[in-house]
Amino acid sequence: VQLVESGGGSVQAGGSVRLSCAASGDIDMVLCMGWFRQAPGTEREGVAAIEDDGRTNYADSAKGRFTISQDKVKNTLYLQMNGLKPEDTARYYCAATEAYGGSWQERLGDLGFWGQGTQVTVS
């Protein structure tokens, strides 16, 4: 599975950004996709995930502001981020996993395929 993120950039606080992740390869077995982020000097954080049946999960920091969605026809994952704050500044990574069992953070973070990331800077 290959994942390519796009849509990052610089935005003012309170603004919005939509990230995209194009998936290719052997994606028929993917059960869950999601977004992580990591800022310099911090630990990687799971932001949101969407299961194959459409169920979504969000980190507390993302609830009410971010929305994860997917277009299965286009094989693309999205993360709509509204009300951005400076603390949202990070490199955002798309992840996909064929694993089941355990938390979405574990399945994606430890057992998933990853993209190269896209930078989001909020000032």
Side-chain angles (χ1 to χ4, degrees):
V1 176
Q2 293 79 47
L3 304 170
V4 179
E5 303 94 335
S6 61
S10 297
V11 62
Q12 291 189 340
S16 299
V17 167
R18 189 176 81 156
L19 304 181
S20 298
C21 171
S24 62
D26 190 9
I27 61 175
D28 289 344
M29 299 300 292
V30 169
L31 297 177
C32 178
M33 295 187 72
W35 293 93
F36 285 70
R37 67 185 182 185
Q38 188 168 23
T42 70
E43 292 188 355
R44 184 180 66 190
E45 176 189 21
V47 177
I50 186 165
E51 303 286 348
D52 192 54
D53 62 5
R55 288 178 294 123
T56 57
N57 289 285
Y58 294 92
D60 287 343
S61 59
K63 288 178 182 177
R65 299 189 301 129
F66 295 179
T67 302
I68 189 170
S69 63
Q70 63 183 11
D71 184 330
K72 291 189 175 183
V73 174
K74 295 181 178 180
N75 293 328
T76 301
L77 181 73
Y78 302 100
L79 184 67
Q80 177 68 44
M81 302 189 292
N82 300 326
L84 284 163
K85 306 173 182 179
E87 51 263 44
D88 294 317
T89 295
R91 192 163 185 85
Y92 284 73
Y93 297 88
C94 174
T97 185
E98 301 172 353
Y100 59 92
S103 70
W104 60 271
Q105 295 96 329
E106 292 170 336
R107 291 157 59 211
L108 288 167
D110 299 336
L111 302 172
F113 302 94
W114 285 67
Q116 294 299 307
T118 184
Q119 179 69 32
V120 174
T121 302
V122 185
S123 60

